[in-house]
Amino acid sequence: MAAQIVDIDEERLLRHFCLDAECKQVFDWLVKQGHPRPDGFHERLALAADLREKGNRKYQASDFTSAMMFALGALHCIDFSQAKSMLQSEDEKQEVLKALLPVMSNLSVIFLKRGDAYNAVRSADLGIDRAKKYQQQGGKEADALLAKLLFRRGQAKAQKKDFAEARTDLREAARLMPADKEIRKLFE
């Protein structure tokens, strides 16, 4: 059996979507925008929330490149290494999950708007995995967040012409949020 080496200082969320050079672009872009990532836990979450909101405004203005950069910047802020995560309290871990889910949903829809169904599915997959964890830990908004992520993944799979899997995701999203008109419209 071969030994496996794990880098406990490695941050993985941003690298889920970006190669090293692209990660550096995000880091440099954040600094250029006047948003270097702080060291403190609460400061990082606050900056992530601020960047997510700025990204939402860019999305509303149909500036999907800037929206993506703000969302990736927010993701970088809440991307804690394994070592730092192990030192977090259970409440802090819950806060990170709560902050991560809307960022993943935003990234999924931004990738969709940019015609990148592959990364839209990847961001929704990661978000769905974390939403289920958040749900198990008693997160209050878990069903709504999970439904939104399933909806986004269903849209992305439909864009990839994977209609059977898209329908499965949309059915589950409709089950979780039966009153949501947008989900119902796409499902039907």
Side-chain angles (χ1 to χ4, degrees), residues 89-155:
S89 70
E90 289 305 313
D91 286 343
E92 288 173 331
K93 289 177 184 177
Q94 189 82 348
E95 284 182 68
V96 171
L97 277 175
K98 185 176 179 181
L100 176 64
L101 296 176
V103 172
M104 299 315 303
S105 180
N106 288 0
L107 273 171
S108 187
V109 75
I110 291 165
F111 287 134
L112 273 170
K113 291 292 186 178
R114 291 174 51 86
D116 185 355
Y118 174 77
N119 277 316
V121 169
R122 285 175 55 90
S123 56
D125 282 342
L126 185 60
I128 289 165
D129 177 62
R130 295 313 197 308
K132 288 178 179 176
K133 186 175 182 180
Y134 185 60
Q135 195 176 41
Q136 290 170 350
Q137 295 174 355
K140 294 179 182 174
E141 313 86 9
D143 282 353
L145 291 166
L146 184 56
K148 190 179 245 189
L149 286 158
L150 286 162
F151 175 66
R152 302 271 191 252
R153 187 171 72 180
Q155 288 177 300

Side-chain angles (χ1 to χ4, degrees), residues 1 16 18 26 31 36 49 60 67 77 89 91 106 108 126 130 138 140-141 143-144 147 150 167 169 171 175 178:
M1 184 169 158
H16 191 75
C18 301
V26 172
V31 170
Q60 293 301 322
C77 287
S89 70
D91 286 343
N106 288 0
S108 187
L126 185 60
R130 295 313 197 308
K140 294 179 182 174
E141 313 86 9
D143 282 353
L150 286 162
R167 187 159 180 76
D169 283 345
R171 181 182 302 117
R175 185 190 67 76

Side-chain angles (χ1 to χ4, degrees), residues 33 44 54 161 173 175 179 188:
Q33 296 294 313
R44 283 174 69 169
K54 287 179 179 179
K161 309 278 189 251
R175 185 190 67 76
E188 294 168 356

